[in-house]
Amino acid sequence: MTKIGLAFQSDKSPQTYAQLAQAAESYDIDVLSVFSDLMFQPPILALLEMARVTDRVRLGAACWNPYSLHPYEIAGQLAALDLASNGRAYLGLARGSWLGDVGIEQPRPISHLREAVEVIYRLMEGKTDGYHGEIFQLAPDVRLRYAVRRPRPPLLIGTWGERTAAFADGLADEVKIGGTTNPAVVARMRKRLKSSALVVGAVTVVDTDGAAARARAKTEVATYLPVVAELDSTVQVPVDLLVRMQALVTAGESEAAGALVPDELLDLFAFAGTPAEVAARARAVIDAGAARVEFGTPHGLSDERGVHLLGAEVVPRLRR
């Protein structure tokens, strides 16, 4: 059966995360994720708060980044989350975007991800024979100085790339494409994966006022469309449109940028509209090969209403 997840931006108070996590778990939601985007709060704050008030849902960062955070730090945060959640954590890793804004280069992404996975799991498993990769090293006898709940929490790798997907297939329990609701992209990635489950996530805005939901979604999508549109070879988005959109976003005029997003593009990069419309778009993604759909921030015109409508009116349509 297809799994359903919610993904949250890391910009809220601990109390808000607790309330949203409790609401999500009261519905038929399987996974709660927290983004690890540039200049937002580290996801571990929200995840630990969610772990405190839930008993069933899986929890993880989508995703930690081994360019900005050393694998031994990721291992420590993963171990803490797995302990706090009584074994419900997953390890999410991705190359990420926008790190050039803080002077971090991102060469050799596959090597970075491969070695990060190796170092994290070696530390979690308590291996002490050292590791000498091209990027990361562990001296002999280096180990975590505390007990871990599980040596190998499940792995998710986020990517759009064909080569990274090939590397991740079989190694990762899940491979995630973020920022798309395009069935053509989903079907293409599903064909590349022989072993790993496919996760698809994107901005989500659901409301009984479908027009208002779509307008809000356009504003949200405008912030990342210039990045993901270049990754989707099945869609030709005019370059001048992306340039104008990016300029408005940079100038802090996100609503004006969103107004430039055509309806047909919105439906390829977001779940937006009434509960029936969002469910229909999610069903198309599932039919194309997604094993898990992850509905992303902001969920609705307000966080609380969005989580409620997804849990009460969208998820039941997908379980039928």
Side-chain angles (χ1 to χ4, degrees), residues 12-28:
K12 312 179 196 307
S13 69
Q15 181 181 10
T16 299
Y17 286 114
Q19 293 168 347
L20 294 173
Q22 286 178 312
E25 191 168 68
S26 71
Y27 297 110
D28 196 13

Side-chain angles (χ1 to χ4, degrees), residues 40-313:
F40 286 89
Q41 298 176 78
I44 192 64
L45 170 68
L47 290 166
L48 289 175
E49 190 65 14
M50 290 176 167
R52 183 181 66 82
V53 298
T54 59
D55 299 306
R56 176 182 56 79
V57 291
R58 283 200 297 137
L59 299 162
C63 291
W64 277 302
N65 191 304
Y67 287 97
S68 59
L69 196 64
H70 194 281
Y72 92 85
E73 293 279 9
I74 297 174
Q77 294 186 33
L78 175 65
L81 178 61
D82 207 41
L83 181 63
S85 65
N86 196 28
R88 291 182 285 128
Y90 75 83
L91 169 60
L93 293 175
R95 174 183 182 273
S97 301
W98 300 293
L99 290 184
D101 291 350
V102 291
I104 298 177
E105 297 181 355
Q106 296 169 281
R108 303 169 60 193
I110 294 176
S111 295
H112 257 82
L113 290 168
R114 178 187 293 110
E115 292 191 16
V117 171
E118 179 70 20
V119 170
I120 291 166
Y121 281 149
R122 289 182 75 87
L123 289 170
M124 297 285 287
E125 292 168 352
K127 294 181 178 178
T128 59
D129 55 343
Y131 177 75
H132 300 284
E134 297 179 5
I135 299 163
F136 300 113
Q137 292 83 40
L138 294 173
D141 298 323
V142 169
R143 60 182 175 83
L144 299 181
R145 300 187 180 276
Y146 48 84
V148 302
R149 176 67 170 71
R150 292 181 297 170
R152 292 183 73 92
L155 172 64
L156 175 148
I157 290 179
T159 186
W160 279 72
E162 182 175 351
R163 291 178 62 239
T164 303
F167 144 72
D169 189 28
L171 173 66
D173 300 271
E174 296 177 315
V175 172
K176 179 183 176 182
I177 315 173
T180 186
T181 57
N182 184 350
V185 169
V186 177
R188 184 178 60 187
M189 182 63 84
R190 181 61 266 166
K191 289 180 180 178
R192 293 173 178 165
L193 301 177
K194 296 180 175 59
S195 302
S196 300
L198 179 59
V199 180
V200 178
V203 156
T204 303
V205 185
V206 61
D207 198 83
T208 51
D209 184 342
R214 291 178 68 80
R216 173 70 187 278
K218 288 183 178 184
T219 298
E220 299 292 332
V221 165
T223 64
Y224 68 78
L225 187 58
V227 174
V228 297
E230 294 182 354
L231 302 174
D232 187 341
S233 61
T234 73
V235 179
Q236 297 300 315
V237 183
V239 174
D240 64 319
L241 173 63
L242 297 176
V243 170
R244 285 186 290 147
M245 202 177 298
Q246 184 62 66
L248 288 168
V249 170
T250 301
E253 300 179 35
S254 295
E255 289 188 12
L260 298 177
V261 179
D263 284 328
E264 60 270 21
L265 274 185
L266 179 68
D267 288 330
L268 297 177
F269 295 98
F271 299 105
T274 64
E277 289 171 330
V278 168
R281 199 64 198 169
R283 172 54 62 191
V285 167
I286 292 168
D287 290 345
R292 174 158 67 90
V293 173
E294 193 158 77
F295 295 114
T297 292
H299 303 116
L301 300 181
S302 71
D303 293 309
E304 295 79 6
R305 180 164 173 76
V307 171
H308 166 70
L309 287 173
L310 286 168
E313 298 194 32

